[in-house]
Amino acid sequence: MGSFSLWHWLILLIVIVVPVIFIFRKPPAGPNRFGGLAQPMGFGQAIGSYFKNYVTFRGRASRSEFWYSALFLSLVAIALLVVDRSQTLNRIWSLATFLPWIAVAARRLHDVNRSGWHQLLWFLFPIGTIAVLVWYCRAPTADHARETVFA
């Protein structure tokens, strides 16, 4: 009962080793491959951009666009929970904003020169979740033109 079985080792391998491989792999060197630098936005601009780029997975999203969108979605979800205790409206809101949230998260990862597929690491708790959160908070990687100006 006190020994580790093969299944325990496989679970540890999947939950710890696999995310670590993706986390410590450096993004490609050189200019950001996902386009030009994303511009910082105010709250209203970020919400407008969030819904304008409803399922656009190309390009980059600035930190302000990502975090203001997260704040907006959370505030609306809380308001819907207060209004409708049965959570029907909240479920409809969650379904309506699921794909745009995946898209803005992918664009945010593009801003730090990571593939949008890296957000799947979120499911490998706790290491993958922490890594994705850190990437969401990181400053954007500059494009090649900007690097030559400031170098």
Side-chain angles (χ1 to χ4, degrees):
M1 191 160 192
S3 65
F4 255 39
S5 69
L6 178 63
W7 293 110
H8 289 105
W9 287 111
L10 281 173
I11 291 171
L12 280 176
L13 177 75
I14 291 171
V15 173
I16 295 175
V17 175
V18 171
V20 168
I21 291 170
F22 286 102
I23 292 166
F24 289 115
R25 186 174 8 157
K26 297 254 184 228
N32 190 314
R33 62 185 184 222
F34 296 107
L37 197 60
Q39 299 300 318
M41 301 180 178
F43 186 75
Q45 287 176 313
I47 303 311
S49 175
Y50 176 79
F51 285 110
K52 187 178 104 184
N53 298 316
Y54 196 76
V55 287
T56 304
F57 290 88
R58 290 187 335 242
R60 295 165 73 172
S62 63
R63 283 188 287 185
S64 56
E65 179 182 357
F66 178 80
W67 290 111
Y68 280 145
S69 299
L71 176 65
F72 176 74
L73 293 177
S74 300
L75 291 176
V76 170
I78 291 169
L80 289 175
L81 186 61
V82 168
V83 170
D84 180 23
R85 291 287 182 187
S86 68
Q87 295 186 358
T88 304
L89 292 175
N90 204 349
R91 289 182 183 139
I92 293 169
W93 174 253
S94 296
L95 283 174
T97 58
F98 178 71
L99 277 177
W101 178 253
I102 300 293
V104 77
R107 291 194 316 269
R108 177 69 203 122
L109 287 173
H110 291 171
D111 203 32
V112 294
N113 210 14
R114 300 275 181 183
S115 170
W117 289 102
H118 280 102
Q119 63 186 312
L120 292 176
L121 288 174
W122 187 268
F123 296 112
L124 296 175
F125 184 80
I127 294 172
T129 306
I130 294 168
V132 172
L133 276 173
V134 167
W135 288 335
Y136 288 157
C137 295
R138 285 190 60 198
T141 57
D143 55 353
H144 185 64
R146 213 154 209 216
E147 287 177 19
T148 56
V149 171
F150 292 112

